[in-house]
Amino acid sequence: MRRKIMDWNKLAEKVGLPEYIEFPKIDPVPEGVNRPFWSVMIPTYNRTKLLEETIISVLKQAPSPEEMQIEVIDNCSPDVDTEKIVEEIGKGRVSFYRQSYNTGQIGNWNTCINRARGHWVHILHDDDLVLPGFYNRLQSGIEDEPSLGAAFCRHIYMDEDGHWQYLSLLEMRTSGIFTNSLERLIIPGAIQCPAIVVKRNTYEKLGGFYPNFKYMFDMEMWIRIALNYPLWYEPQPLACYRSQTSISGTSALLKSEIPITEGYKLLEVLNSYFPESKANTVLPQVKKAIIIFLMDIIRNNIHQNNLSTAFYQNKELLKYDFSGRVRKGVFGNLILMGKRWINEIKHKFVI
């Protein structure tokens, strides 16, 4: 029976979740297939220059094909000859696969997993980078701990021009098993995709990325893994995440209702499979972290003068959650929006 941290029937209908949640099946690699240690899978769509940079960052530290599979999976790009880019940059070292139709981002990522032959899978998006030492450092930890389900490193946030902005939190001062991983991963953005590698067997046992998401599918996956396996942490910042760029789909999503809907969708997906021993302590923390994260998104839109967007997001948030914490946050947002509107009117009057 589902625990009801919120009214499941009402919320599940609002966020569009089925009553029974099934994750996409990941088939094992067939017997007899040569299996390298690494599979670096690069999903892409309509990308040129940044894709080149991503591929080059891998090739600079790539071992032999027997040790590392590198493949670009194109999601049926209509405007870019991705195969030509791969041929020119990869020079035969990087393989290429093109979807026959656009499967969506999650479908493309799940294709990456299914096509991966290696024991460990790195899904590296086409505008992110890895720094020298990424694979060597993580492999040294992975080989010492066979029980691991995933491993990740500290990451660097960069802008769309590749300029470094800031570092993710230093979770541990030395490399090792990531302690209290479940409780620490409930903070959105604790892990960014270029920084994490996952054992293929983990995907085979837990399933692929959940296709009912558009935005928080990666966070759900990392929590699902942490619930079932230990994770390895490397404190050296060895991956670069291109944050909220106008050239990705992220900035558009942050100006929509999707983060609001998916915050509560994530909450209920976790609610569907958390063991009761963890649910009573962890899920309330997840809810608190999601509310803080969504408030940050709304306030960022206010600061960028996207006031109509912020107003709509506030309204959507109240539709899913009318708790005191949310009402207080929305009230503060409305005050901030009012000040912005007044300043705009004053500015126009002075001009």
Side-chain angles (χ1 to χ4, degrees):
M1 180 181 296
R2 294 185 188 276
R3 294 165 303 279
K4 296 186 179 179
I5 49 177
M6 301 184 70
D7 189 316
W8 165 260
N9 292 327
K10 291 181 180 179
L11 186 61
E13 183 178 348
K14 286 180 179 179
V15 299
L17 277 179
E19 185 174 357
Y20 299 101
I21 295 171
E22 294 184 9
F23 299 109
K25 189 174 185 293
I26 303 298
D27 294 321
V29 176
E31 291 186 13
V33 172
N34 175 53
R35 301 201 61 185
F37 186 89
W38 292 111
S39 283
V40 182
M41 314 303 286
I42 305 174
T44 188
Y45 180 74
N46 266 2
R47 197 78 79 188
T48 54
K49 180 62 177 176
L50 297 181
L51 173 61
E52 295 177 10
E53 295 177 8
T54 300
I55 296 172
I56 290 171
S57 76
V58 176
L59 290 175
K60 283 182 177 179
Q61 55 185 303
S64 69
E66 290 71 32
E67 298 176 79
M68 177 182 284
Q69 170 194 8
I70 309 173
E71 183 163 305
V72 172
I73 295 85
D74 179 62
N75 200 12
C76 199
S77 298
D79 304 322
V80 175
D81 187 350
T82 309
E83 186 170 14
K84 182 179 180 181
I85 295 172
V86 171
E87 289 174 353
E88 291 177 351
I89 302 299
K91 302 185 187 309
R93 177 64 180 87
V94 181
S95 57
F96 175 77
Y97 176 81
R98 176 180 169 86
Q99 302 277 17
S100 59
Y101 64 96
N102 191 302
T103 64
Q105 186 177 19
I106 298 176
N108 208 34
W109 283 31
N110 285 332
T111 298
C112 287
I113 301 171
N114 276 307
R115 290 188 59 80
R117 294 181 284 103
H119 294 285
W120 282 81
V121 181
H122 184 206
I123 298 178
L124 179 62
H125 203 246
D126 59 358
D127 58 352
D128 295 331
L129 304 171
V130 286
L131 300 180
F134 176 86
Y135 298 104
N136 283 339
R137 294 282 295 189
L138 289 180
Q139 184 169 349
S140 65
I142 287 168
E143 290 180 328
D144 291 337
E145 295 288 344
S147 65
L148 295 173
F152 71 104
C153 68
R154 197 178 186 191
H155 59 270
I156 300 162
Y157 288 91
M158 61 183 180
D159 64 20
E160 59 190 76
D161 296 318
H163 299 300
W164 293 6
Q165 297 176 306
Y166 55 94
L167 291 172
S168 64
L169 292 176
L170 180 63
E171 301 288 355
M172 296 181 357
R173 303 193 69 85
T174 58
S175 58
I177 297 292
F178 190 47
T179 56
N180 300 320
S181 60
L182 188 59
E183 288 78 5
R184 294 163 77 173
L185 291 183
I186 64 174
I187 301 173
I191 296 178
Q192 294 294 354
C193 296
I196 186 168
V197 298
V198 178
K199 200 172 189 177
R200 197 184 192 284
N201 183 257
T202 300
Y203 285 131
E204 292 167 14
K205 291 185 176 180
L206 300 183
F209 291 92
Y210 186 46
N212 206 278
F213 282 114
K214 292 183 179 178
Y215 181 57
M216 292 190 173
F217 56 90
D218 52 347
M219 182 179 175
E220 185 279 322
M221 175 62 82
W222 314 147
I223 293 176
R224 200 189 328 160
I225 293 172
L227 185 64
N228 291 276
Y229 295 95
L231 279 67
W232 181 269
Y233 178 69
E234 167 56 55
Q236 289 296 317
L238 297 171
C240 295
Y241 171 73
R242 209 175 297 264
S243 59
Q244 300 181 12
T245 65
S246 59
I247 49 180
S248 71
T250 305
S251 59
L253 284 174
L254 295 178
K255 294 179 176 64
S256 72
E257 79 287 353
I258 289 175
I260 311 297
T261 304
E262 295 211 345
Y264 289 92
K265 183 182 293 186
L266 173 64
L267 190 64
E268 289 298 350
V269 169
L270 299 180
N271 184 43
S272 73
Y273 63 69
F274 258 56
E276 190 170 356
S277 60
K278 294 284 187 181
N280 295 332
T281 55
V282 178
L283 289 180
Q285 297 178 50
V286 176
K287 183 180 178 183
K288 180 180 177 181
I290 286 173
I291 291 173
I292 293 172
F293 178 64
L294 296 178
M295 288 296 176
D296 286 343
I297 290 175
I298 295 171
R299 285 167 190 158
N300 188 55
N301 277 317
I302 295 173
H303 290 313
Q304 293 179 9
N305 277 332
N306 300 319
L307 301 183
S308 59
T309 295
F311 184 82
Y312 177 65
Q313 289 177 329
N314 277 313
K315 186 174 71 171
E316 287 294 297
L317 186 54
L318 287 172
K319 184 171 75 175
Y320 297 117
D321 191 344
F322 205 67
S323 65
R325 182 187 298 274
V326 169
R327 293 200 308 271
K328 182 178 178 181
V330 168
F331 182 71
N333 291 343
L334 293 175
I335 292 175
L336 185 58
M337 290 167 64
K339 291 179 179 179
R340 286 276 174 170
W341 268 315
I342 291 172
N343 287 337
E344 279 191 12
I345 293 171
K346 285 182 178 179
H347 180 70
K348 292 178 180 178
F349 182 77
V350 170
I351 291 176

